[in-house]
Amino acid sequence: KKDKKDKKDKKDKKDKDKDSDDSKAKRMIQLDSQSAIRYQVERAAEHLRRPVGESDERVPFKPDDWQRKLLDVADSGNSALIVAPTASGKTFIAYYVMEMCLRANNTDVVVYVAPTGALVDQVHHEIQARFTKAYQGDMHLTGVFNTSYREDHVKCQILVTRPECLEIMLLDPANVEWAKNIRHIIFDEVHSVAMLGGEVWERMLLYVSAPILALSATLGDMDKFRGWLEMVEKKRGRDLYFINYQERHNDLCPYIWTDRETFEEQLIGMHPCWAIFTKLTPDQRFEFPSDFKLLPEHCVRLHDAIIKQDQSDLVKDLAPEAYFQRIPDPTFNISMRDARRWEIEIKKCFCTLSYDVQKKVLEDVISDSNSACAHIEKRLDHMSERNYLNANMLPMLRTLEKANMLPCIVFHMTRDGCVQFALGICNLLKKAEEIEQEKDGHASKIEKQQKKLDLMQRQLEKMGWSKDQAGKDGEEPSDEQKELMQDIMMVQAKLDKLKSVDPRFALIPPGQGQLHPSEIEEMVSTGGRKKFFNPSKPLHQALLRGVAAHHGGLPTNYLRAVERLFRMKRLSVVISTETLAMGINMPTKTSVFAGDSNFLNAMNYRQMAGRAGRRGFDLRGQIVFMGIKKDKIKRLQNSELPTLSGNLLMTSTVGVRLLIKHSSIRTQHESDVMAQAKKYEDFIDRIEDQVKVLLEAYRKDKEITPEEAKSVELSRMDHKERAGFLVSGKDRPGGAKKGGPMDHINSRDLAYALIEMAEKPKNERFDVLTTVVDDRNKKMKDTRDAIVDEVRIATAALKKLGEIVAQSEAETPAVQAERERAAQLREDDATACQRLVNTPLFQPGGPLMSAQYALAFRFTAEYLQKEGMMNKTAGPCDLGCIASLLCTGEPANFAAVDLLRSRYVEQIVQRFVEASDGTKEYNDKTPAQVQEALVSIFAHLFGGVKIAKWHAAYLQEHPEKKGPCSVVLGELDPKAKEILGVHSKHAIEAAAEYWRAFAAGYASDLGDDNMLPFTGCAWPQDGSFSMPMLGDLSVPATLRSRFVSLSGHGDRGCDFATVGELCGSLRRGLVIDPKFLPVYQVDDSPQNAYILDFWRDGLLTNLVKYNKIGDNSVWQMIKDFALVLTAMHKSLDRRSKYAPYKRGIHGEGRTLETVFSDPQVQEAFKMMSADFAEKFNKTKTSDAADSK
């Protein structure tokens, strides 16, 4: 009876739906009579005929003319700058050059550069899905190098990376041969050169030698950027082709959403003319902006408004029925190109009208948009933007669902807002579902089905069948059991459906069914044991209702799942920050802009809007503004893209990295010599450890205390001289006591001396070691024999090293060819450095900027050479290598080096003094105290976040406001300040002398410094003004501005107190950026102690609550500091292998290099790096986000 009733209900519902469809069809038929032409352009503009290209055997589709030209450029091996709208099909060229590379050979490389980590991951996976190729050996099709991980990046043919990672690879001397094999470099979203971090993009565009393909949809000031890139390509010996295609394949239609009652009043189509109404003035003739576009329906409405005011034949001829009948070869289906020509004619017609007529026309056209914005602003006056968005996010999505405008991406510029809105939508849907289920008695239905299922399972067990029997071989259920099992499956399916989300209370994409956890697991599974879907996490539950959040602080696996589910059209709504704006392949029908933000600028707006209406997925894209005031909407619609002014390229750290790369280019023989020398040093390390054990046992047994003075004296001897001295058995150069030297010698000095001793005819090594061996101690005898064997192997390694050195110095054809190869590599690298230094896009100093970049590069090389960071040939010393590895923290990297070489860090970490005999004298420091002191110092250098003085004073008066945190970082140690201040003073004086000499040498090019700084007026204009009084007050200056020298300020090096004063008081035409100087300027203003506080308790939530670090950035800031500590530890560890530590030598006899390998320094940084990384890895930002 129940089944019959269900069937009857379904039939009644079907008949009801049919009647509803019939009524809709009748309403559609009852349209006003209109021509087919007008219907197309007014009601069905998205179905206008698109242009179709011609077949080309190189690609599997019919490319347009501009795409065929792009193919020709790629085949010719030249470079290209491609500017085309989002979704126009410009990225195909990247996959074309990849395929060419893969077909050519197994060694060429194509590099794809993307601006964000999310885009890197997506392109990497897309390439893996698109191409396959088998290799022999350790070679791979694709590799990836992201800021957080890398895989097969130097052993692949297609590398996907970010610009900063590509810079690391190209400036690594080990990758010189790899860089030669690069066939093409694709710079996607090249407009990033104008954004934060754009200096890396600009450096790579200058430094690389391979042909480039630069892609962009939102490139501002194209002519300037194109001219600069053409000049760069000419220096490479290639042409640059410029391809500019401005037609979108799918148009974008703007809307304004309001929270009014009826559907017709909620979603208001925004006529583009509304945004330019304020530009209409009676004083000058109105002209449309060059990139201003009217859709066909906008043209219809504009024409209808014009014809109300002007009945001339010209206007009548522009009516769609009249215009499209006159076009050559008219067809029933109007083309988009014909509609575009019609748009141009209507714009011309409007511009010919009088001001009064234009004003009346626009007032008629924009009335709906004005009314909608007035309602929004009234609502925002009575409630905050966040509350407005919270209250109306779900109603807005329901409106889009009704208008068939889902799926959509809702762009909101705060991370916490994205998560809050996503969870808020789900909570409202869940509450509505619970209310409806309560009305329907949903709980009783579930209980009834559950009881039915339990009863049937018990019945099955009584029939003698259980789960355990299901896996046994040879046992099959009976027919009766099979029938009952089938019934159980049907009941279980009904129960699962009852427990799942009700589709009426979810946002399901059109044509898709309800999403279930099992489907999510199947779609996003990575093959691991751990399941992705976690029902206890609210954001995971939100996926079942078709809603997701997306921002950079969420877990990577969740973000990848969201991206994949959205691409597969299983999600209707993703609420995201700008992370989905830059090139991510997430096709959507609609881009919604929810709420205002300072970060919502013209560049981001165009990138975000371009996500809608992707080619091949939709016929049109929609843009919806929600909760944004009209002035901001108009600015976004009217604003032009930012001008590409360029970036500061040459900094001290960049100079160091370039010098290290150039000096490290060697021949193969030189590399072999270094590798063999490293092997030899490894043998010495092992011998030293064994010798130390032997000497400690000997001295302990004989109760001998080494004398520091004698140890130092032996250390200063030549290895061969020391060997002879030990063999002779003298106590000192004037003494004669056998066995004496062994009482005082350092273990490493003895290791080197053993190498120089003879083995035949008399085994001197054995005899010398025997003097400290007790014949009754078998362990000591075994150690002696092991040392002798190890020394024999080390001697052979030293002999091999001599042979390799001799081969490298030989004048054979092979050696000569290798030298020529290395010389060519050095020349190519020098040419790349020359491009980088002499061809900047950023030229605030005018034509002399290139010369000043070259001066900055020279100053870096010579000053750091003087400071001991570079050697006489501008090669790197240990200090320079450490500064290079800490490049992300510039200029704090130079401060860290200063504190290292001054032995300040060594004094901080030193917990004991080790004597030559290995005994240690400890002080009262603990490891925890040492690490906290180091964290505090590095927090000052690499974690500078200022706190307002009034806020620091308030916290001092109200310590309870700080909670468990310090919040305000204590002042930097005065001794550290003094060290950094001395170095800063020296650098400022040196820079002043360099630029004074430059100003004198380029005096004629600089001209007279008589231009007023703010107005730009010359004073006096003829240069004849003279006043003795001012002449007496003024100090003669070459470097300073004349207007500054009037105050009595000179321009000698000692006249500049700070870097800011030097850079800010220069004469016109001179430019010194603070980053030109390898100087860290100590700032006495209060700093935030967020790093030290995190070190103490490891809680990000406290940093947000008490330290007031933004929730959007706290995780990344802690991660950056963790990377600094890791780089510091690895740098010191690497340096220690080439600068062995001489135990027991402290004070005057100690060389600078031994600081880097001091076991206490290394151990302190190793422990600090590991402990901080452990605390950082324990932070679960996903849990914090889900708990909200």
Side-chain angles (χ1 to χ4, degrees):
K1 289 180 181 179
K2 183 70 168 65
D3 292 341
K4 288 180 180 180
K5 184 176 182 301
D6 290 343
K7 288 179 181 179
K8 184 176 182 303
D9 292 342
K10 288 181 181 178
K11 184 176 183 302
D12 293 341
K13 186 175 183 302
K14 189 174 181 182
D15 293 339
K16 184 178 179 181
D17 292 341
K18 185 177 180 182
D19 294 340
S20 176
D21 292 339
D22 291 341
S23 63
K24 288 180 182 177
K26 290 176 182 178
R27 286 199 299 270
M28 291 176 64
I29 292 170
Q30 293 171 359
L31 292 172
D32 297 335
S33 60
Q34 53 183 326
S35 69
I37 291 178
R38 187 178 181 90
Y39 177 80
Q40 287 185 68
V41 294
E42 185 178 14
R43 302 293 182 93
E46 65 270 21
H47 295 282
L48 297 184
R49 180 162 42 92
R50 268 73 169 171
V52 180
E54 299 178 2
S55 299
D56 193 305
E57 61 182 8
R58 294 174 288 185
V59 289
F61 61 93
K62 294 182 178 181
D64 296 333
D65 293 341
W66 67 276
Q67 291 174 320
R68 284 200 303 275
K69 182 180 178 181
L70 190 51
L71 289 169
D72 296 337
V73 173
D75 290 339
S76 68
N78 285 300
S79 297
L81 172 62
I82 305 103
V83 180
T86 304
S88 60
K90 60 182 177 294
T91 314
F92 87 96
I93 194 62
Y95 298 108
Y96 175 72
V97 298
M98 291 175 191
E99 185 174 357
M100 284 201 311
C101 174
L102 295 174
R103 292 181 183 277
N105 51 49
N106 292 340
T107 57
D108 285 353
V109 177
V110 170
V111 180
Y112 186 100
V113 182
T116 64
L119 185 54
V120 166
D121 290 339
Q122 186 180 101
V123 172
H124 180 232
H125 292 308
E126 192 167 340
I127 293 170
Q128 288 179 320
R130 187 183 288 256
F131 300 112
T132 57
K133 186 175 180 180
Y135 294 92
Q136 292 183 351
D138 191 16
M139 193 67 178
H140 304 271
L141 174 69
T142 61
V144 62
F145 189 176
N146 212 334
T147 52
S148 55
Y149 71 97
R150 63 187 75 179
E151 182 182 8
D152 303 326
H153 56 293
V154 293
K155 298 177 181 179
C156 63
Q157 280 200 268
I158 303 174
L159 172 65
V160 187
T161 184
R162 296 181 65 173
E164 53 267 37
C165 301
L166 177 62
E167 185 176 39
I168 291 172
M169 294 191 68
L170 292 180
L171 294 184
D172 188 346
N175 296 330
V176 172
E177 291 296 331
W178 172 83
K180 284 177 59 181
N181 294 327
I182 298 178
R183 179 167 179 163
H184 271 99
I185 300 181
I186 299 122
F187 288 95
D188 197 5
E189 312 291 350
V190 75
H191 56 264
S192 299
V193 75
M195 303 172 71
L196 183 65
E199 65 275 3
V200 185
W201 287 83
E202 192 173 338
R203 280 200 295 267
M204 289 298 94
L205 288 169
L206 287 166
Y207 188 76
V208 299
S209 300
I212 65 171
L213 297 173
L215 313 178
S216 177
T218 53
L219 186 64
D221 200 6
M222 287 183 285
D223 293 337
K224 179 181 177 180
F225 187 74
R226 171 192 177 185
W228 172 73
L229 211 52
E230 281 179 345
M231 180 173 59
V232 173
E233 284 301 302
K234 284 182 180 178
K235 290 191 175 185
R236 294 192 183 106
R238 286 191 298 269
D239 293 328
L240 178 79
Y241 291 85
F242 179 53
I243 298 174
N244 184 13
Y245 180 74
Q246 292 301 324
E247 294 294 327
R248 278 188 62 95
H249 188 78
N250 295 332
D251 291 325
L252 292 176
C253 187
Y255 293 88
I256 299 173
W257 187 87
T258 69
D259 59 343
R260 291 184 283 199
E261 293 183 2
T262 63
F263 171 75
E264 291 75 13
E265 292 179 314
Q266 288 176 345
L267 199 61
I268 305 300
M270 185 183 75
H271 199 288
C273 288
W274 173 73
I276 63 170
F277 180 73
T278 55
K279 295 186 176 183
L280 189 67
T281 60
D283 301 331
Q284 58 185 25
R285 186 175 183 269
F286 176 80
E287 293 289 344
F288 286 95
S290 58
D291 58 347
F292 188 82
K293 182 173 178 59
L294 293 174
L295 301 185
E297 58 265 41
H298 298 149
C299 293
V300 170
R301 186 167 182 186
L302 183 61
H303 178 268
D304 290 347
I306 293 174
I307 206 167
K308 291 178 183 178
Q309 307 295 331
D310 188 342
Q311 299 288 333
S312 64
D313 292 339
L314 174 62
V315 176
K316 290 180 180 178
D317 289 343
L318 288 176
E321 298 85 352
Y323 179 85
F324 289 104
Q325 288 293 343
R326 298 196 308 271
I327 60 175
D329 190 23
T331 60
F332 176 77
N333 190 196
I334 300 171
S335 71
M336 291 186 70
R337 287 179 178 173
D338 291 334
R340 179 63 174 159
R341 297 188 189 101
W342 180 50
E343 174 199 349
I344 294 172
E345 294 298 324
I346 288 181
K347 286 180 181 178
K348 289 180 180 178
C349 175
F350 179 83
C351 293
T352 60
L353 301 175
S354 65
Y355 167 75
D356 293 332
V357 174
Q358 288 178 340
K359 185 176 180 181
K360 291 179 181 179
V361 168
L362 290 186
E363 286 175 347
D364 184 8
V365 166
I366 68 177
S367 57
D368 293 343
S369 300
N370 277 334
S371 174
C373 284
H375 177 81
I376 292 172
E377 296 192 2
K378 184 179 179 181
R379 296 282 288 152
L380 291 175
D381 288 340
H382 291 84
M383 60 192 309
S384 68
E385 180 187 283
R386 177 63 66 89
N387 290 339
Y388 177 84
L389 296 177
N390 270 325
N392 293 295
M393 190 65 71
L394 181 58
M396 182 272 298
L397 294 173
R398 287 301 192 191
T399 302
L400 297 186
E401 184 180 35
K402 190 174 181 180
N404 193 26
M405 291 168 63
L406 293 180
C408 73
I409 299 177
V410 179
F411 288 105
H412 181 75
M413 305 304 282
T414 66
R415 292 183 176 185
D416 59 335
C418 292
V419 175
Q420 182 180 346
F421 295 148
L423 298 182
I425 292 168
C426 293
N427 289 336
L428 290 174
L429 291 171
K430 187 176 180 180
K431 288 179 181 177
E433 182 184 38
E434 290 172 352
I435 294 171
E436 188 65 25
Q437 288 177 350
E438 189 175 353
K439 292 179 181 178
D440 294 344
H442 190 76
S444 61
K445 292 179 181 179
I446 293 178
E447 184 180 358
K448 183 178 179 181
Q449 286 293 328
Q450 186 65 55
K451 287 181 179 179
K452 186 176 181 181
L453 179 64
D454 295 340
L455 179 64
M456 296 174 73
Q457 287 176 342
R458 286 196 298 270
Q459 186 177 352
L460 183 63
E461 290 177 1
K462 287 180 181 179
M463 296 172 66
W465 185 263
S466 64
K467 294 181 180 179
D468 297 334
Q469 289 176 291
K472 294 180 181 179
D473 297 333
E475 288 200 28
E476 290 289 336
S478 64
D479 293 341
E480 187 179 1
Q481 289 173 337
K482 285 182 180 180
E483 185 177 354
L484 183 57
M485 290 168 66
Q486 197 170 19
D487 293 340
I488 289 174
M489 292 175 62
M490 294 176 63
V491 173
Q492 182 68 56
K494 289 182 179 180
L495 183 62
D496 292 340
K497 186 176 181 180
L498 286 171
K499 288 183 178 181
S500 64
V501 174
D502 190 334
R504 295 175 298 171
F505 302 98
L507 297 168
I508 300 174
Q512 298 291 330
Q514 179 63 43
L515 190 61
H516 296 280
S518 58
E519 293 180 273
I520 295 176
E521 286 294 345
E522 183 180 350
M523 292 176 187
V524 304
S525 174
T526 57
R529 293 183 179 179
K530 189 176 181 181
K531 290 185 177 182
F532 162 75
F533 188 81
N534 187 347
S536 64
K537 294 186 176 182
L539 282 179
H540 288 211
Q541 285 286 354
L543 298 176
L544 301 178
R545 299 186 187 272
V547 181
H550 194 291
H551 64 72
L554 292 171
T556 303
N557 61 345
Y558 173 79
L559 296 179
R560 289 177 179 171
V562 169
E563 292 164 13
R564 187 168 185 182
L565 289 171
F566 194 81
R567 283 197 297 271
M568 298 174 75
K569 297 186 177 180
R570 302 313 306 274
L571 297 178
S572 284
V573 182
V574 174
I575 305 175
S576 171
T577 59
E578 69 275 15
T579 53
L580 292 182
M582 298 288 278
I584 293 289
N585 180 24
M586 289 187 61
T588 181
K589 276 189 176 182
T590 307
S591 291
V592 180
F593 296 89
D596 196 2
S597 170
N598 291 333
F599 297 103
L600 185 56
N601 52 34
M603 177 76 76
N604 281 333
Y605 166 70
R606 297 200 186 192
Q607 286 288 336
M608 294 170 182
R611 300 304 102 201
R614 303 303 295 271
R615 186 172 186 173
F617 294 91
D618 298 295
L619 296 175
R620 171 171 285 191
Q622 286 86 20
I623 303 170
V624 177
F625 294 98
M626 175 192 182
I628 303 178
K629 295 187 177 182
K630 68 176 182 180
D631 290 340
K632 182 59 177 280
I633 298 176
K634 289 182 178 180
R635 284 200 301 271
L636 292 174
Q637 293 287 88
N638 291 329
S639 58
E640 297 182 355
L641 293 169
T643 300
L644 299 180
S645 57
N647 305 273
L648 179 70
L649 302 184
M650 184 49 57
T651 68
S652 296
T653 302
V654 171
V656 170
R657 296 172 73 187
L658 291 173
L659 290 169
I660 290 175
K661 159 75 180 296
H662 187 76
S663 63
S664 301
I665 298 176
R666 306 180 179 92
T667 65
Q668 186 59 48
H669 294 94
E670 291 170 341
S671 299
D672 292 343
V673 167
M674 292 190 65
Q676 186 63 26
K678 178 65 177 62
K679 289 181 181 179
Y680 173 65
E681 287 296 332
D682 290 341
F683 284 123
I684 294 295
D685 290 341
R686 292 203 293 268
I687 295 170
E688 178 190 8
D689 292 337
Q690 293 174 320
V691 165
K692 183 180 179 182
V693 173
L694 198 65
L695 289 177
E696 286 179 350
Y698 163 69
R699 291 166 183 170
K700 182 178 180 181
D701 182 55
K702 300 296 183 181
E703 296 182 354
I704 296 172
T705 301
E707 297 179 16
E708 190 75 16
K710 293 182 179 180
S711 297
V712 172
E713 190 175 6
L714 287 167
S715 293
R716 289 174 177 171
M717 289 183 181
D718 179 74
H719 296 328
K720 196 164 188 178
E721 179 188 359
R722 190 186 310 116
F725 184 66
L726 292 173
V727 172
S728 68
K730 296 179 181 179
D731 185 28
R732 58 180 63 84
K737 199 176 212 178
K738 192 170 183 180
M742 299 298 287
D743 295 348
H744 314 290
I745 192 167
N746 184 287
S747 56
R748 193 168 190 86
D749 293 337
L750 178 56
Y752 280 117
L754 290 172
I755 300 292
E756 299 295 334
M757 295 179 188
E759 190 176 12
K760 294 180 180 179
K762 183 180 179 182
N763 194 334
E764 296 176 346
R765 301 164 184 162
F766 184 87
D767 294 343
V768 168
L769 292 173
T770 300
T771 60
V772 295
V773 173
D774 186 351
D775 290 338
R776 296 167 297 178
N777 191 326
K778 185 178 184 302
K779 186 176 180 181
M780 292 182 68
K781 291 166 69 176
D782 291 343
T783 303
R784 175 197 60 192
D785 296 341
I787 293 173
V788 172
D789 293 339
E790 198 76 42
V791 170
R792 187 181 297 113
I793 299 173
T795 305
L798 181 61
K799 183 179 178 182
K800 178 69 174 177
L801 177 61
E803 293 173 357
I804 296 175
V805 171
Q807 290 175 5
S808 66
E809 295 174 351
E811 296 296 335
T812 63
V815 172
Q816 188 62 31
E818 182 63 19
R819 289 174 184 167
E820 291 176 358
R821 182 193 67 82
Q824 184 61 48
L825 289 176
R826 292 191 188 99
E827 184 179 350
D828 293 343
D829 184 69
T831 303
C833 292
Q834 189 177 22
R835 283 197 306 269
L836 179 58
V837 172
N838 295 332
T839 324
L841 177 60
F842 178 62
Q843 296 196 4
L848 288 180
M849 196 62 217
S850 298
Q852 294 187 71
Y853 268 130
L855 178 66
F857 185 73
R858 177 181 174 182
F859 170 74
T860 296
E862 296 182 355
Y863 179 76
L864 295 182
Q865 187 180 47
K866 177 184 175 183
E867 291 294 308
M869 297 189 196
M870 314 297 289
N871 59 29
K872 293 181 180 179
T873 59
C877 296
D878 290 327
L879 292 167
C881 292
I882 292 175
S884 175
L885 283 173
L886 296 174
C887 59
T888 56
E890 186 179 19
N893 55 339
F894 294 106
V897 167
D898 287 337
L899 297 180
L900 270 174
R901 67 176 180 171
S902 65
R903 298 204 176 99
Y904 174 78
V905 172
E906 182 185 359
Q907 295 167 12
I908 292 293
V909 305
Q910 193 175 76
R911 297 179 51 236
F912 60 83
V913 176
E914 183 180 5
S916 301
D917 61 349
T919 58
K920 300 174 181 178
E921 182 181 347
Y922 283 87
N923 53 36
D924 57 354
K925 294 179 183 177
T926 65
Q929 290 173 338
V930 168
Q931 290 185 45
E932 183 157 320
L934 280 180
V935 169
S936 178
I937 293 169
F938 274 70
H940 273 284
L941 302 183
F942 294 95
V945 174
K946 293 183 180 180
I947 291 181
K949 290 184 178 180
W950 67 265
H951 187 50
Y954 174 80
L955 291 173
Q956 189 172 4
E957 295 175 2
H958 302 84
E960 70 279 2
K961 298 294 184 181
K962 297 190 292 186
C965 299
S966 298
V967 182
V968 181
L969 192 62
E971 290 189 4
L972 187 63
D973 185 3
K975 189 172 182 180
K977 280 186 183 180
E978 181 184 356
I979 293 169
L980 298 177
V982 170
H983 174 70
S984 175
K985 180 181 178 183
H986 292 167
I988 291 171
E989 290 177 356
E993 294 302 324
Y994 268 77
W995 262 267
R996 186 186 297 106
F998 178 88
Y1002 285 88
S1004 59
D1005 298 295
L1006 290 168
D1008 191 16
D1009 186 30
N1010 65 337
M1011 194 75 71
L1012 290 172
F1014 294 107
T1015 63
C1017 300
W1019 178 84
Q1021 294 184 355
D1022 58 359
S1024 60
F1025 182 84
S1026 176
M1027 183 177 288
M1029 183 187 304
L1030 293 180
D1032 294 339
L1033 292 174
S1034 178
V1035 177
T1038 306
L1039 189 60
R1040 283 209 198 250
S1041 165
R1042 283 176 57 183
F1043 302 97
V1044 177
S1045 63
L1046 284 174
S1047 302
H1049 294 283
D1051 62 0
R1052 294 176 301 168
C1054 59
D1055 292 332
F1056 297 96
T1058 65
V1059 175
E1061 182 183 347
L1062 172 64
C1063 301
S1065 61
L1066 297 174
R1067 60 152 296 156
R1068 182 177 56 87
L1070 291 183
V1071 177
I1072 303 179
D1073 191 273
K1075 289 189 177 181
F1076 285 173
L1077 279 63
V1079 169
Y1080 178 82
Q1081 199 79 38
V1082 177
D1083 191 348
D1084 291 329
S1085 59
Q1087 290 197 36
N1088 200 312
Y1090 71 98
I1091 288 176
L1092 190 60
D1093 290 332
F1094 178 78
W1095 166 261
R1096 289 170 176 166
D1097 59 26
L1099 297 176
L1100 293 180
T1101 51
N1102 283 348
L1103 304 187
V1104 175
K1105 183 176 181 180
Y1106 299 106
N1107 296 71
K1108 305 303 180 184
I1109 302 296
D1111 184 50
N1112 295 348
S1113 54
V1114 60
W1115 186 85
Q1116 187 63 46
M1117 292 168 69
I1118 296 297
K1119 178 184 176 183
D1120 291 343
F1121 188 78
L1123 292 176
V1124 167
L1125 296 184
T1126 301
M1128 191 72 191
H1129 159 59
K1130 289 184 176 180
S1131 177
L1132 290 174
D1133 184 59
R1134 185 181 300 179
R1135 302 274 70 76
S1136 69
K1137 296 177 181 178
Y1138 298 97
Y1141 173 66
K1142 297 183 177 180
R1143 294 175 177 82
I1145 300 179
H1146 296 272
E1148 295 298 327
R1150 192 168 186 195
T1151 59
L1152 179 63
E1153 285 75 13
T1154 61
V1155 175
F1156 306 124
S1157 54
D1158 187 328
Q1160 296 185 71
V1161 175
Q1162 287 189 66
E1163 185 65 20
F1165 276 99
K1166 180 180 179 180
M1167 291 177 61
M1168 180 172 64
S1169 174
D1171 290 350
F1172 198 92
E1174 182 181 359
K1175 292 177 182 178
F1176 172 70
N1177 291 333
K1178 287 181 180 179
T1179 60
K1180 300 296 183 181
T1181 55
S1182 59
D1183 295 340
D1186 290 341
S1187 66
K1188 294 180 181 181

